[in-house]
């Protein structure tokens, strides 16, 4: 599943539930060799993805939050000029996380929230369409179990300004399926967020994010030369709050630097919209008792 920047948040307070639904469209159409565009090819390809993700979070205690998400691909389409497009679709991966409120100082507006989790390839893998085996990049599920650890740090620095940092590491297990013998390379993600509250109900986030993945491997632990990358992404985001506990976010992922091992179709851009509902069960119970 693609990285959803707005999903990274501190641990939730006890008895607070968040439900979020995200839609994301991404497009790619340019090959890269190392850090430069590469056009010396006899064919032209474009890729587009329509993706949705449902995420749940619940504060089990004041120090422990349970989170889960599930992705669905309406399409993962790879189009080669002059040929029929290859299109994968269906459930992607599911994930379960435990997020800890390691440190929280409301007076200093400082929180530290580490996370551990695992991703599960619940969707279809080895998918075939019209008896054609789809390449691994078009499969809706990654086909691999993955282990993940991350940490989110947030610090208020002014009345309307906050800074946040995020870092994560992901390790994938070997895929040994009917059509693939493959292991994704480990992935590191690091991001820095700037959040400014423009008015009471409208905020802007500016994020700069680095995503690095090392080369994949195949049989006999041989590296896949045209795999792995190092990209820097700028993500502006606007979030509107309405009816106190509803949040509507719109954001875009714009690459500002790209480096790809070998020759690969590079990431172009992505736009997303996200609707979040927050429910505080302690507050709801207090209101019912007052009535």
């Amino acid at each position: 599943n693609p990285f959803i920047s707005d999903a990274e948040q501190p641990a939730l307070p006890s008895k607070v539930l968040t439900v979020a639904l995200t839609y994301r469209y991404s497009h790619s159409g340019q090959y890269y060799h190392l850090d430069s565009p590469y056009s010396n090819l006899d064919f032209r390809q474009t890729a587009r993805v329509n993706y949705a993700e449902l995420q749940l979070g619940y504060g089990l205690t004041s120090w422990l939050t349970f989170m889960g998400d599930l992705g669905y691909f309406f399409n993962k389409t790879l189009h080669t000029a002059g040929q029929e497009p290859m299109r994968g679709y269906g459930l992607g991966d599911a994930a379960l996380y435990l997020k800890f409120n390691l440190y929280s100082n409301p007076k200093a507006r400082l929180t530290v929230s580490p996370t551990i989790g695992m991703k599960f390839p619940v969707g279809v893998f080895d998918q075939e369409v019209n008896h054609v085996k789809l390449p691994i990049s078009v499969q809706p599920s990654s086909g691999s179990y993955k282990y993940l650890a991350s940490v989110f740090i947030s610090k208020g620095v002014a009345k309307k300004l906050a800074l946040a940092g995020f870092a994560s590491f992901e390790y994938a297990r070997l895929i040994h399926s009917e059509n693939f013998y493959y292991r994704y390379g480990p992935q590191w993600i690091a991001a820095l967020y700037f959040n400014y509250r423009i008015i009471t109900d409208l905020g802007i986030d500016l994020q700069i994010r680095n995503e690095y993945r090392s080369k994949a491997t195949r049989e006999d632990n041989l590296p896949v030369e045209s795999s792995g990358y190092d990209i820097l992404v700028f993500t502006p985001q606007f979030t509107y709050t309405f009816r106190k506990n509803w949040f509507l976010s719109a954001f875009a992922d714009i690459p500002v630097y790209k480096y790809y091992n070998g020759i690969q179709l590079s990431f172009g851009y992505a736009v997303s919209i996200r609707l979040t509902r927050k429910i505080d069960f302690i507050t709801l119970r207090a209101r019912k008792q007052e009535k």
Side-chain angles (χ1 to χ4, degrees):
N1 298 348
F3 178 80
I4 303 295
S5 63
D6 193 42
E8 301 307 326
Q9 299 290 337
L12 295 171
S14 178
K15 304 299 186 295
V16 170
L17 172 71
T18 59
V19 182
L21 181 63
T22 304
Y23 167 76
R24 184 179 193 264
Y25 171 80
S26 63
H27 182 273
S28 302
Q30 187 176 55
Y31 271 85
Y32 257 62
H33 173 58
L34 303 181
D35 60 354
S36 302
Y38 188 84
S39 57
N40 190 24
L41 295 171
D42 296 330
F43 58 90
R44 175 174 174 77
Q45 285 186 326
T46 58
R48 64 181 186 275
V49 176
N50 285 279
Y51 172 77
E53 182 174 289
L54 177 66
Q55 184 186 63
L56 302 175
Y58 183 70
L60 294 171
T61 68
S62 60
W63 58 271
L64 178 62
T65 295
F66 171 80
M67 301 186 71
D69 59 60
L70 178 65
Y72 184 87
F73 289 93
F74 298 101
N75 73 288
K76 294 180 76 174
T77 302
L78 181 64
H79 187 200
T80 303
Q83 300 180 16
E84 287 294 320
M86 290 184 287
R87 177 178 177 268
Y89 59 92
L91 286 176
D93 294 344
L96 297 176
Y97 308 99
L98 292 177
K99 186 182 287 285
F100 304 91
N101 184 12
L102 180 65
Y103 179 79
S104 180
N105 187 329
K107 185 176 181 180
R109 296 169 60 197
L110 174 64
T111 61
V112 180
S113 302
T115 300
I116 56 173
M118 188 170 181
K119 297 181 179 180
F120 305 87
V122 297
V124 176
F125 194 68
D126 286 324
Q127 190 175 68
E128 299 182 8
V129 177
N130 296 327
H131 306 292
V132 175
K133 296 177 181 178
L134 299 179
I136 198 167
S137 61
V138 184
Q139 297 288 338
S141 170
S142 69
S144 173
Y145 292 90
K146 302 185 183 75
Y147 307 103
L148 181 138
S150 66
V151 62
F152 182 88
I153 302 173
S154 177
K155 176 70 173 76
V157 295
K159 185 177 181 180
K160 294 184 177 182
L161 178 66
L163 302 180
F166 170 79
S168 73
F169 172 75
E170 179 185 279
Y171 178 81
R173 291 175 58 179
L174 174 69
I175 302 170
H176 193 180
S177 68
E178 180 180 350
N179 296 323
F180 299 99
Y181 190 96
Y182 194 89
R183 186 196 299 273
Y184 301 101
Q187 184 184 52
W188 291 263
I189 296 178
L192 183 64
Y193 302 73
F194 300 85
N195 173 265
Y196 181 74
R197 182 64 56 183
I198 301 173
I199 57 176
T200 303
D201 296 328
L202 182 64
I204 182 173
D205 285 90
L206 300 178
Q207 177 198 134
I208 190 73
R209 181 174 77 252
N210 176 243
E211 298 185 20
Y212 173 84
R213 188 182 289 278
S214 57
K215 290 181 180 180
T217 54
R218 54 188 181 185
E219 291 89 345
D220 300 321
N221 207 33
L222 293 174
V224 179
E225 293 302 327
S226 289
S227 67
Y229 52 82
D230 187 4
I231 62 175
L232 194 65
V233 180
F234 174 62
T235 302
Q237 172 181 305
F238 289 91
T239 299
Y240 175 66
T241 304
F242 60 101
R243 299 181 63 181
K244 295 184 178 180
N245 290 314
W246 288 85
F247 307 88
L248 182 63
S249 302
F251 47 102
D253 290 330
I254 306 165
V256 295
Y257 173 79
K258 298 187 285 188
Y259 182 99
Y260 287 84
N261 299 316
I263 300 171
Q264 298 184 59
L265 186 62
S266 68
F267 172 65
Y269 67 88
V271 291
S272 305
I273 187 168
R274 181 178 178 89
L275 180 65
T276 305
R277 173 74 163 101
K278 181 179 178 182
I279 303 172
D280 188 333
F281 288 102
I282 293 179
T283 301
L284 288 178
R285 187 179 304 141
R287 289 177 180 174
K288 289 181 180 179
Q289 290 176 350
E290 289 177 358
K291 292 181 180 180

